[in-house]
Amino acid sequence: MNPSDPSPPRSEPTSEEIARLVAKVRALTPARVLAGRIGTSYRTETQLGLREDYAAAVDAVHADIDLERDLGAEFLSRWDLFEVRTRARSKSEFLLRPDLGRQLDEEDVKLFEGCPKGADLQIVIGDGLSATAVVAQVPALLPMLVEEAQYHGLSLGRPFFIRNCRVGVLNDIGRLLDPTVVILLVGERPGLATAESLSAYLAYKPRPGHTDANRNLISNIHARGTSPRDAAGRVLRLALQMIRLGLSGVEIKEQLPEPASTNHLDDQGTPAR
């Protein structure tokens, strides 16, 4: 072929090839990319999917957890799990008055009398803004956190569940039980990608007056985000770092391990080799 000859025209991809490419791209993200349209509107399939995901998000926010029904009697017995409330006495009050969800109910404070104080780690479960996330992630994540903590010889407080819970309740927990680090597993505000996303908030010796600047966060714990196993390792690395440095919040940064390392860590908060 003469180099000066023009290249032969490239054939256009077939509709089947385009469909396969679009499917591969969309499988990589929950975002609604390459959704297509009919005129100026979404396709019917896309519109129905949006409505379904919106309904799931609304349900996750407004749902109330029944511990025995949703987590199971065996799970409650295994972890000796009990329930306390915040000052928000209803779901509607919880949504309208975030300040009440940051304070434990005074009548329930007596329930802590049998709980050990001064533990290295105190794990707490809060419904937050997604009951769905708690039900989906906590049964797998809690045992993994306990496993990691025991591996490092850390003492554990008795876990409990807080109804109508906001993140600021960490301060009351620190005041009442005086643990070194509090780990709050709480449902995230759901979006249209998933209603099953859980967050883990950590604070070193939280006390009244502390703010988000005194806390650290590992978020997006769900099937298409951070897995419970990876989250357990990250949470314990961060907790060990807090214990070693004696602080939490904006003054420390999460130290991620090498990709091939395990979740078990050394006493300095770095991956064990």
Side-chain angles (χ1 to χ4, degrees):
M1 178 182 294
N2 190 330
S4 61
D5 291 343
S7 299
R10 297 178 62 182
S11 60
E12 294 294 327
T14 67
S15 58
E16 290 184 359
E17 290 172 332
I18 293 174
R20 285 197 295 269
L21 177 60
V22 168
K24 288 181 180 179
V25 173
R26 296 190 66 184
L28 298 175
T29 174
R32 289 171 171 81
V33 297
L34 303 176
R37 60 187 174 87
I38 299 296
T40 59
S41 302
Y42 285 126
R43 295 178 183 274
T44 300
E45 178 184 6
T46 303
Q47 182 66 30
L48 291 176
L50 283 167
R51 293 179 64 180
E52 179 182 13
D53 292 341
Y54 176 76
V58 171
D59 287 347
V61 170
H62 289 276
D64 278 316
I65 292 178
D66 182 303
L67 292 181
E68 185 166 351
R69 178 196 66 202
D70 296 326
L71 299 180
E74 182 180 351
F75 184 87
L76 300 185
S77 176
R78 176 184 178 186
W79 302 108
D80 198 18
L81 202 66
F82 68 99
E83 177 182 327
V84 297
R85 302 166 298 172
T86 65
R87 291 181 59 194
R89 293 302 187 93
S90 66
K91 184 65 70 172
S92 59
E93 189 172 48
F94 165 72
L95 295 173
L96 293 171
R97 292 285 306 275
D99 57 313
L100 298 181
R102 301 184 185 112
Q103 304 170 61
L104 290 170
D105 184 271
E106 293 180 3
E107 295 180 4
D108 284 2
V109 168
K110 61 180 180 294
L111 297 175
F112 293 111
E113 292 176 358
C115 294
K117 296 184 178 181
D120 295 325
L121 294 182
Q122 175 65 58
I123 301 174
V124 182
I125 303 163
D127 51 5
L129 289 168
S130 178
T132 303
V134 173
V135 175
Q137 312 306 336
V138 166
L141 180 56
L142 179 59
M144 294 175 185
L145 286 173
V146 172
E147 174 190 341
E148 291 286 339
Q150 291 174 339
Y151 178 83
H152 294 286
L154 300 177
S155 62
L156 289 161
R158 180 183 174 187
F160 55 92
F161 171 77
I162 304 178
R163 189 172 298 279
N164 296 329
C165 172
R166 297 278 183 173
V167 174
V169 79
L170 285 165
N171 296 348
D172 269 2
I173 297 168
R175 173 177 60 86
L176 293 167
L177 296 177
D178 193 32
T180 304
V181 173
V182 182
I183 300 170
L184 173 62
L185 308 178
V186 62
E188 293 178 3
R189 178 182 289 106
L192 295 180
T194 180
E196 297 186 352
S197 189
L198 191 80
S199 286
Y201 282 85
L202 295 88
Y204 178 83
K205 291 187 175 296
R207 290 295 185 272
H210 285 190
T211 68
D212 284 342
N214 304 104
R215 304 166 189 138
N216 296 83
L217 165 66
I218 293 172
S219 61
N220 293 303
I221 303 171
H222 61 91
R224 298 192 67 170
T226 301
S227 70
R229 174 55 69 186
D230 288 342
R234 291 176 62 185
V235 167
L236 261 293
R237 277 189 293 274
L238 197 50
L240 289 169
Q241 190 180 358
M242 290 177 179
I243 293 171
R244 177 169 60 88
L245 298 176
L247 52 84
S248 61
V250 296
E251 296 180 89
I252 69 172
K253 302 296 181 184
E254 183 184 3
Q255 298 176 348
L256 295 177
E258 296 296 327
S261 66
T262 66
N263 280 337
H264 290 312
L265 321 168
D266 63 26
D267 291 336
Q268 301 302 312
T270 55
R273 300 295 184 185

